[in-house]
């Protein structure tokens, strides 16, 4: 999966994989109780189980990627706001410090910008 895929393409791929996984799980549930408890699973059942595990890992990976991209977008969107808040807080801290100095010394110089 490339990083240049659009979100809508990723959503379709994720949906298709999830539907396929649901079908595999339905197939797996349909065969439960059909053989003895100590019998070996047929190769076809093992193949379905393995494919379901691989597909589940891929679905999880795609979901994680979507979450990561969403977080990356949120960080990019909020970075300017966070930076402005940071500088506003620094300015407020300098103002508070100056106010305290002024209360102790009315001739205290203003803080440097």
């Amino acid at each position: 999966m490339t990083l240049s895929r659009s979100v809508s393409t990723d959503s379709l791929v994720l949906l298709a994989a999830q539907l396929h996984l649901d079908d595999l799980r339905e197939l797996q549930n349909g065969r439960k109780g059909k053989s003895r408890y100590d019998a070996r699973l047929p190769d076809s059942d093992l193949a379905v189980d393995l494919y379901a595990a691989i597909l589940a890992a891929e679905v999880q990976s795609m979901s994680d990627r979507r979450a990561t991209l969403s977080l990356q977008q949120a960080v990019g969107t909020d970075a300017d706001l966070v930076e402005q808040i940071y500088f506003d807080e620094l300015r407020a801290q300098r103002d508070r410090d100056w106010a305290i100095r002024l209360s102790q010394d009315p001739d205290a110089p203003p803080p440097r910008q």
Side-chain angles (χ1 to χ4, degrees):
M1 190 178 300
T2 65
L3 291 178
S4 63
R5 263 195 196 161
S6 70
V7 173
S8 61
T9 301
D10 282 348
S11 296
L12 289 174
V13 170
L14 180 59
L15 177 62
Q18 186 61 55
L19 290 172
H20 198 177
L21 184 58
D22 291 346
D23 290 344
L24 285 173
R25 287 187 174 142
E26 192 173 312
L27 180 65
Q28 288 172 317
N29 290 336
R31 71 169 191 243
K32 291 197 177 184
K34 305 274 185 195
S35 62
R36 292 180 15 187
Y37 73 94
D38 61 346
R40 258 184 66 152
L41 283 177
D43 288 345
S44 59
D45 288 351
L46 289 173
V48 167
D49 290 348
L50 178 61
Y51 185 53
I54 291 169
L55 197 54
E58 184 62 25
V59 165
Q60 185 61 52
S61 176
M62 285 187 276
S63 294
D64 292 348
R65 181 178 181 277
R66 286 177 88 191
T68 301
L69 290 174
S70 176
L71 184 59
Q72 179 184 12
Q73 182 180 15
V75 167
T77 301
D78 295 342
D80 292 337
L81 177 62
V82 169
E83 183 179 32
Q84 184 61 48
I85 291 170
Y86 171 76
F87 287 120
D88 288 347
E89 186 58 34
L90 285 178
R91 188 174 316 121
Q93 181 64 44
R94 282 193 309 265
D95 291 348
R96 281 190 294 274
D97 291 345
W98 188 33
I100 291 170
R101 282 195 311 275
L102 281 175
S103 71
Q104 297 167 354
D105 177 9
D107 295 326
R112 286 186 242 150
Q113 296 296 334

